[in-house]
Amino acid sequence: MAKKQFKSESKRLLDLMVNSIYTHKEIFLRELISNASDAIDKLCYISLTDDKVGLSREDFKITIKADKENRTLTISDNGVGMTAKELEANLGVIAKSGSLQFKQDMEDKPEDIDIIGQFGVGFYSAFMVASRVTVTSRAYGEDGANKWVSEGSDGYTLEPFECPHEGAGTEIVIELKEDVEDEKYSDYLAEHKLQSLIKKYSDYVHWPIFMDVTKSRQVETDELDDDGNKKKTWEDYTETDVINSRIPIWQRPKSEVTDEDCAEFYKEKFFDHTEPTTVIRVSAEGLVSYQAMLFIPAAQPYDYFSREYKAGLQLYSSGIMIMEHCADLLPEHFRFVRGIVESPDFSLNISREMLQHDRQLKVIATNIEKKVKAELKKLMDEDIEKYETFYKAFGIQLKYGIANGFGMNRDMLADLIMFYSSKAGKLIPLTEYVKNMPEEQKYIYYASGDNAALLDKLPQAEQVREKGYEIFYLTEEIDEFVIRMLRNFEEKEFRSVNDEELGLESDEDKKETERQETENKDLLEFVKESLDGKIASARLSQKLKSHPCCLAAQGEISLEMEKYFKAMQGRQEGMPGDMRAERVLELNAGHSSFAALKSAFESDKEKAAKYAKVLYGQALLMASVPLEDPAEFSSLVGELLFG
Ligand code: ADP
């Protein structure tokens, strides 16, 4: 019989699919089951008004059969079937809904074969695993049946077929390709593989999916044991079972599903052995109808910050998973959320492009963002310990959300942020800091550094500490960027303890400092000059109590940011090289070191310059900034101490 040719577009798609990577190939089963389910939907619908169908709801089913000897896998349904014309029209060409877009996507980035794993590509996916596909079908209301056979892109045959059984329906026989080194197609004949694929992709198809499964039972033998009873032994037998659970957990009423059930489901579905922090259930009806079951994990997946981690929610439509990672449903700052969203309005063959422009999807995404935010806030208010666990795993993600969004996500995220409190000795929410503030306290104080223990001793924080005010210790690289983006919280401005103006000095104190600075103008200028361009200025500070000096910065870039940029430069190219903080050396006029400096300045300028260098070195050390010339510093200290 003469072979008919596929349309060229279909041919190209076929070639792409056949060459797709192995792990994506398994979706062929989902596609065929979903077609079978649709066909049953159609006939079931007809049966509502047409008695001639002769089937009731309970009679409809999908059957999967594996034949190891012949290497075939058969998927059959008693749905609406196809006429010869339909077989030709439906299976001879791919020119439906998503396929055109699909083709364009492929042309844009032909290397991105992943697209096949993401979207329904329908019947053709069978050729990813098949050397030959045979479809026999009888359309509802027709006497004859037809047989369609194809071995792939070189075309297909279509002829009438003597169907051995009555009734409408379709049977698809897949002859699996020969196994090759890294692609074992015969896996698809293994009972447990098929079961797990059905569970994974089609668990919630509402029609039953039957399959023969091997079971064991105890049977009596003719042998007798010591007591004269018949001995028992185990024997395997085959039973046809329904594999899919049919009613998804997220569709069951809340009253029927416990939190434990949800947690179990989460662990199994998302391969996490840690209990989720919390589960969020949504059942929305109205303009946009959808159901969602969302989980906030408690532990960071090991690959969370790697390319391997795929964010996104699973998308279901009428019980069928249509996308495993729909990233458009989650904002970047909540990318740790896992879960499922089902809406009858999603189409099966929807493409990524189309999804991005889908209005409904946007509405759902906005709702989901609000729900997640509300749930996290609730957790913070009601169970801070649990929130802490969550925050240790994903707080950094929230911070990135603020820092990367250039303030865009400020309102959404600010009240979820926690920093380490100098007083509490642990992370506390911004809201709590503000609540604890005494009335006269003007600013939210923070200090940046490597760790809390070092920050506890930071000289420039002495004055704030003495006042009894709480300080946020920022120890993560991102923290200062977060503060910059936030600028303030509940109308309280953030202030670094490095800042010149800490709002702690009385007018009198200020005047006194000014007076001293004028008095020591020449000395301060001398210090700056002795340091040979290393500092932008030297000044007197009220912040210091027991310490002789400290390092501060003026302008936009803080010392911590300078460190961060330096580290980034090492890691990636194209980072600005001149991100250097403008250093300020602050001196304590009440300290004996200042008196020594001053008297040297008057009698021995060379010695005074040495003092200035040592003080600068001390300030660097206390700020955890490496000395530029440790050998010089060491010999200077030696000279001054031991002569
Ligand atoms: P899609 O399902 O997205 O339309 P497919 O390539 O999977 O694309 O299928 C093409 C068409 O073939 C379907 O729309 C349907 O009309 C028909 N079809 C496929 N499988 C079956 C089946 N088992 N029973 C009846 N019709 C089917």
Side-chain angles (χ1 to χ4, degrees):
M1 197 184 357
K3 270 197 184 149
K4 305 190 183 194
Q5 293 300 305
F6 289 111
K7 298 273 156 58
S8 61
E9 183 187 316
S10 313
K11 220 166 157 168
R12 184 167 140 69
L13 187 52
L14 255 173
D15 286 339
L16 275 168
M17 239 168 339
V18 170
N19 295 319
S20 102
I21 59 168
Y22 186 59
T23 48
H24 293 146
K25 296 188 176 184
E26 63 184 30
I27 60 122
F28 82 94
L29 192 63
R30 171 193 83 176
E31 295 298 309
L32 298 181
I33 289 175
S34 128
N35 281 347
S37 172
D38 288 348
I40 295 176
D41 282 346
K42 285 179 197 159
L43 190 57
C44 180
Y45 185 74
I46 296 171
S47 77
L48 298 177
T49 52
D50 182 350
D51 308 334
K52 287 201 291 297
V53 175
L55 295 172
S56 63
R57 257 191 103 87
E58 296 73 51
D59 300 323
F60 290 110
K61 61 178 179 180
I62 299 164
T63 310
I64 314 278
K65 262 200 162 57
D67 180 340
K68 287 196 171 130
E69 242 163 78
N70 296 309
R71 284 181 74 86
T72 60
L73 191 63
T74 304
I75 295 104
S76 36
D77 66 74
N78 52 354
V80 72
M82 285 173 275
T83 62
K85 247 187 172 161
E86 284 166 339
L87 278 167
E88 182 138 33
N90 295 336
L91 309 184
V93 66
I94 309 175
K96 295 177 300 297
S97 49
S99 56
L100 203 71
Q101 185 62 53
F102 177 88
K103 194 179 147 243
Q104 277 159 8
D105 283 352
M106 286 316 231
E107 270 157 14
D108 288 350
K109 32 182 170 356
E111 79 288 354
D112 189 7
I113 309 285
D114 187 48
I115 209 151
I116 286 164
Q118 303 272 324
F119 309 118
V121 286
F123 169 77
Y124 278 84
S125 56
F127 287 103
M128 295 197 282
V129 300
S131 56
R132 180 189 289 144
V133 180
T134 305
V135 182
T136 50
S137 190
R138 177 190 280 126
Y140 172 66
E142 297 257 309
D143 291 332
N146 292 285
K147 180 165 155 180
W148 180 101
V149 186
S150 172
E151 290 174 10
S153 56
D154 64 333
Y156 60 94
T157 60
L158 180 63
E159 58 184 332
F161 172 68
E162 201 71 47
C163 187
H165 46 78
E166 298 265 306
T170 303
E171 183 181 272
I172 298 175
V173 181
I174 288 174
E175 290 170 48
L176 290 168
K177 292 185 194 178
E178 288 303 322
D179 291 356
V180 286
E181 202 181 327
D182 47 357
E183 308 207 4
K184 264 189 86 206
Y185 296 100
S186 54
D187 283 352
Y188 296 119
L189 297 169
E191 196 179 301
H192 63 268
K193 175 76 177 175
L194 289 169
Q195 272 180 301
S196 78
L197 286 181
I198 294 169
K199 278 271 177 210
K200 179 171 176 190
Y201 293 112
S202 315
D203 197 38
Y204 310 118
V205 167
H206 45 275
W207 304 111
I209 303 168
F210 283 95
M211 206 181 99
D212 286 344
V213 288
T214 313
K215 297 184 171 176
S216 295
R217 63 183 161 206
Q218 266 197 323
V219 289
E220 290 180 345
T221 63
D222 290 336
E223 272 178 71
L224 298 180
D225 64 15
D226 297 344
D227 300 330
N229 298 320
K230 283 187 173 171
K231 277 192 182 169
K232 289 184 176 168
T233 181
W234 288 95
E235 93 174 357
D236 284 349
Y237 69 104
T238 307
E239 196 174 84
T240 310
D241 242 352
V242 178
I243 310 299
N244 52 336
S245 60
R246 304 181 61 189
I247 306 167
I249 185 167
W250 61 88
Q251 281 189 3
R252 294 191 205 134
K254 283 185 194 175
S255 57
E256 270 180 29
V257 183
T258 65
D259 284 355
E260 287 78 59
D261 292 338
C262 296
E264 268 320 300
F265 168 76
Y266 164 78
K267 289 195 278 187
E268 197 183 309
K269 182 106 185 165
F270 297 102
F271 308 108
D272 188 352
H273 48 257
T274 321
E275 299 276 317
T277 304
T278 180
V279 49
I280 305 169
R281 301 200 54 183
V282 192
S283 183
E285 264 174 59
L287 210 58
V288 179
S289 308
Y290 73 97
Q291 284 162 314
M293 183 177 269
L294 310 172
F295 301 92
I296 299 174
Q300 199 183 81
Y302 72 94
D303 60 353
Y304 188 66
F305 281 111
S306 79
R307 251 171 245 251
E308 265 72 67
Y309 180 82
K310 288 207 185 90
L313 300 175
Q314 293 193 350
L315 225 57
Y316 273 77
S317 174
S318 312
I320 297 159
M321 184 169 88
I322 56 172
M323 202 183 280
E324 205 173 354
H325 303 282
C326 181
D328 298 326
L329 273 173
L330 280 178
E332 179 74 8
H333 46 262
F334 291 154
R335 68 198 282 276
F336 45 80
V337 175
R338 319 240 65 164
I340 283 153
V341 177
E342 164 143 20
S343 170
D345 306 327
F346 295 143
S347 118
L348 249 194
N349 272 355
I350 201 155
S351 79
R352 183 156 52 194
E353 267 308 287
M354 288 155 80
L355 270 175
Q356 271 164 4
H357 299 114
D358 193 299
R359 279 248 306 285
Q360 275 179 335
L361 200 81
K362 284 203 176 118
V363 173
I364 297 178
T366 310
N367 284 350
I368 285 178
E369 183 181 19
K370 281 192 202 139
K371 298 261 179 207
V372 173
K373 156 74 194 264
E375 189 66 31
L376 286 173
K377 187 75 184 80
K378 186 169 148 229
L379 195 68
M380 185 192 237
D381 294 342
E382 292 173 6
D383 190 347
I384 188 75
E385 272 170 35
K386 217 169 176 192
Y387 189 79
E388 263 166 33
T389 311
F390 155 77
Y391 194 81
K392 282 187 178 135
F394 300 109
I396 183 100
Q397 182 70 67
L398 303 180
K399 291 182 190 171
Y400 277 127
I402 293 177
N404 294 345
F406 291 99
M408 210 168 70
N409 305 313
R410 202 170 168 270
D411 292 345
M412 178 59 69
L413 301 177
D415 52 354
L416 298 178
I417 295 294
M418 303 208 287
F419 289 120
Y420 186 92
S421 147
S422 61
K423 276 193 166 173
K426 62 180 182 112
L427 296 167
I428 64 160
L430 297 181
T431 40
E432 194 174 322
Y433 183 103
V434 173
K435 213 167 65 200
N436 295 343
M437 280 169 83
E439 208 167 324
E440 79 282 0
Q441 185 181 339
K442 268 207 208 138
Y443 302 119
I444 302 175
Y445 296 105
Y446 68 89
S448 307
D450 291 342
N451 60 59
L454 279 179
L455 288 170
D456 254 337
K457 297 190 193 133
L458 202 68
Q460 50 267 61
E462 276 190 309
Q463 196 187 10
V464 182
R465 231 178 275 126
E466 212 165 70
K467 279 271 180 191
Y469 297 157
E470 196 163 23
I471 305 170
F472 273 139
Y473 289 164
L474 310 187
T475 53
E476 277 184 289
E477 280 177 350
I478 187 83
D479 289 348
E480 229 176 313
F481 293 87
V482 175
I483 298 275
R484 300 256 159 154
M485 288 301 159
L486 289 177
R487 290 189 304 276
N488 55 51
F489 182 76
E490 292 182 3
E491 288 163 26
K492 302 284 181 197
E493 240 179 87
F494 288 97
R495 260 302 138 93
S496 162
V497 295
N498 283 332
D499 207 282
E500 210 185 341
E501 168 56 49
L502 290 179
L504 297 174
E505 284 161 40
S506 63
D507 288 346
E508 272 159 47
D509 289 345
K510 273 186 202 157
K511 275 207 190 99
E512 175 58 17
T513 312
E514 263 167 44
R515 194 192 58 75
Q516 285 182 346
E517 285 206 319
T518 322
E519 190 188 302
N520 294 294
K521 199 164 166 271
D522 293 344
L523 171 57
L524 294 172
E525 196 53 37
F526 172 83
V527 169
K528 182 183 161 182
E529 248 131 59
S530 314
L531 289 170
D532 205 14
K534 292 195 178 83
I535 59 169
S537 70
R539 67 183 176 219
L540 297 181
S541 165
Q542 293 295 329
K543 275 187 262 175
L544 297 164
K545 298 293 162 195
S546 62
H547 286 275
C549 59
C550 69
L551 194 66
Q554 63 186 37
E556 276 305 299
I557 302 166
S558 71
L559 291 165
E560 289 312 308
M561 287 173 128
E562 179 189 302
K563 278 187 219 166
Y564 173 74
F565 286 129
K566 225 186 215 144
M568 287 300 283
Q569 227 180 341
R571 263 177 261 156
Q572 72 193 57
E573 301 204 356
M575 283 299 297
D578 51 353
M579 291 293 205
R580 215 178 115 91
E582 282 185 64
R583 284 140 209 248
V584 176
L585 181 61
E586 299 199 354
L587 299 171
N588 182 351
H591 195 269
S592 56
S593 61
F594 190 74
L597 175 69
K598 201 168 169 171
S599 85
F601 176 63
E602 276 149 19
S603 58
D604 180 353
K605 290 264 181 327
E606 207 177 306
K607 192 166 185 189
K610 285 180 188 166
Y611 278 140
K613 283 180 185 161
V614 169
L615 284 166
Y616 176 64
Q618 284 181 280
L620 286 177
L621 285 174
M622 280 184 292
S624 300
V625 178
L627 294 168
E628 282 134 26
D629 189 344
E632 188 198 19
F633 179 75
S634 168
S635 54
L636 275 175
V637 173
E639 258 175 62
L640 291 171
L641 275 179
F642 315 119

